[in-house]
Amino acid sequence: MDRIDAMKVFVAAVDEGSLAGAGRKLRRSPAAVSRAIAFLEHHVGAELLHRTTRSLKLSDAGQRYAAACRRILTELEEADISAGGERSVPRGTLTVTAPVVVGEDVLRPVLDAFMADYPAVSVRLVMLDRTVNLIDEGIDVALRIAHLTDSNFIAIKLGEVRRVVAASPGYLAQHPLISEPADLAKHQIIAMTHFGLDSWSFPPAAKSKIARAVQFTPRLVVNTVRAAVASASEGHGVTRLFSYHIADEIRDGRLRILLVKDEHPPLPVHLLAPQGRFAFVDFATPRLKRYFERLSREASKAGAKAR
């Protein structure tokens, strides 16, 4: 049996969550799928999948092998595209990861457009508000909002996002003025895990090297961005989020950015690709750059008004 073909079957089984699903996707009989998996397990000398009548689960060896198979299949696909030049088009499964909100609102439309242009491509969009190990988890491309550590990945900067404090005009009209971070202690705070549950930090004041921290007891604690945005927009308190989280609300006047002069420096946004350049990276980069450039302009205008 061809080992590369068996790897494709194995990856399809993992992606579909069952041998039957892999058979339907690849148009093969269940027996053929089972033979391919058995062939690989015999070849590597380890059980790759724990199979039951209803589901399958990767073994520890299977997790490592699945990530390696994805890399190998991707590199083969890239080699075909490179050799074929303009006559070759992207095909296969592309796995992309991003934080939840930017994945839903920004990256997903770009992926839809990419799939429309390249019908032979399927996409797995994995949205997680945590750092993902691209190699271990079989990720092809990641959108990451953070300062990057040195690596061998290709990193293309798309723009920057700000960490902003915001509240609705209605809330601000009925509560004390917020002119410096310490004023937040007098206000109703809508807190999120990622941005501080009982305190927010700010850069040092002028002529100081000590970061400022504002302690508070939150009035509301939520674990999703959309809940924090909705509650703040409806006038229930002050929240802290990334600028892209509230771009629509700022544009529509439902929220105002506060404490602009006390913000931390913006965080960079990058596309990361661990195994060389992908057609998707070339497709997505200009589109995403335009989005983050527009976001930066609009946030700057909102910040100027806040001053």
Side-chain angles (χ1 to χ4, degrees), residues 13-14 16-21 49-58:
V14 173
E16 297 298 315
S18 70
L19 302 187
L49 295 172
H50 300 309
R51 297 182 279 281
T52 69
T53 56
R54 295 186 177 181
S55 65
L56 57 83
K57 182 180 179 181
L58 284 168

Side-chain angles (χ1 to χ4, degrees), residues 1-305:
M1 181 175 289
D2 180 85
R3 186 156 33 130
I4 296 299
D5 185 66
M7 286 180 177
K8 293 178 180 178
V9 174
F10 173 56
V11 170
V14 173
D15 290 345
E16 297 298 315
S18 70
L19 302 187
R24 288 191 296 270
K25 181 177 181 179
L26 300 175
R27 297 182 180 179
R28 304 190 187 191
S29 68
V33 173
S34 294
R35 283 196 301 271
I37 302 299
F39 167 79
L40 286 180
E41 291 180 328
H42 176 76
H43 178 79
V44 302
E47 185 181 38
L48 302 175
L49 295 172
H50 300 309
R51 297 182 279 281
T52 69
T53 56
R54 295 186 177 181
S55 65
L56 57 83
K57 182 180 179 181
L58 284 168
S59 65
D60 291 342
Q63 289 180 343
R64 295 190 296 271
Y65 196 67
C69 287
R70 292 186 195 280
R71 291 197 299 273
I72 291 167
L73 294 173
T74 297
E75 288 169 1
L76 286 173
E77 187 67 31
E78 289 288 310
D80 289 343
I81 292 171
S82 177
E86 294 182 356
R87 295 174 300 171
S88 183
V89 296
R91 66 186 70 246
T93 300
L94 174 72
T95 303
V96 184
T97 188
V100 174
V101 173
V102 75
E104 291 178 348
D105 295 347
V106 182
L107 191 56
R108 193 267 313 152
V110 176
L111 287 165
D112 285 343
F114 183 70
M115 289 187 289
D117 282 3
Y118 299 102
V121 173
S122 299
V123 174
R124 293 174 63 240
L125 176 55
V126 182
M127 293 178 288
L128 298 167
D129 286 326
R130 64 172 175 82
T131 300
V132 176
N133 187 306
L134 276 62
I135 299 299
D136 290 349
E137 301 192 40
I139 303 296
D140 297 318
V141 180
L143 191 155
R144 190 156 290 174
I145 301 173
H147 294 290
L148 302 179
T149 57
D150 292 336
S151 74
N152 294 322
F153 298 164
I154 285 178
I156 298 175
K157 188 174 180 180
L158 304 172
E160 296 178 329
V161 296
R162 293 158 50 193
R163 286 164 285 189
V164 297
V165 176
S168 73
Y171 175 88
L172 294 172
Q174 299 176 23
H175 292 83
L177 179 68
I178 301 175
S179 60
E180 60 181 53
D183 294 334
L184 292 169
K186 308 169 188 176
H187 284 264
Q188 297 179 166
I189 302 298
I190 302 166
M192 277 191 61
T193 305
H194 304 326
F195 290 86
L197 287 178
D198 54 14
S199 69
W200 290 341
S201 68
F202 294 86
K207 299 181 180 181
S208 173
K209 295 183 179 179
I210 301 174
R212 292 170 289 174
V214 177
Q215 305 288 330
F216 52 76
T217 300
R219 185 72 188 277
L220 174 66
V221 176
V222 296
N223 66 343
T224 71
V225 167
R226 298 196 190 282
V229 172
S231 186
S233 297
E234 292 169 8
H236 299 298
V238 183
T239 194
R240 191 181 212 177
L241 298 163
F242 283 132
S243 51
Y244 72 86
H245 289 149
I246 57 172
D248 291 342
E249 288 74 18
I250 294 298
R251 189 181 304 116
D252 297 342
R254 286 175 283 163
L255 289 176
R256 291 181 184 171
I257 295 177
L258 312 171
L259 302 175
V260 175
K261 63 182 177 59
D262 297 297
E263 289 178 7
H264 287 286
L267 287 173
V269 184
H270 291 88
L271 274 186
L272 297 183
Q275 298 110 9
R277 293 187 68 86
F278 289 82
F280 175 70
V281 173
D282 294 330
F283 180 93
T285 295
R287 292 164 172 80
L288 293 172
K289 280 186 174 180
R290 285 195 294 271
Y291 170 82
F292 286 105
E293 286 169 359
R294 187 181 76 245
L295 177 71
S296 180
R297 288 195 302 270
E298 292 177 350
S300 295
K301 289 179 181 178
K305 291 180 181 179

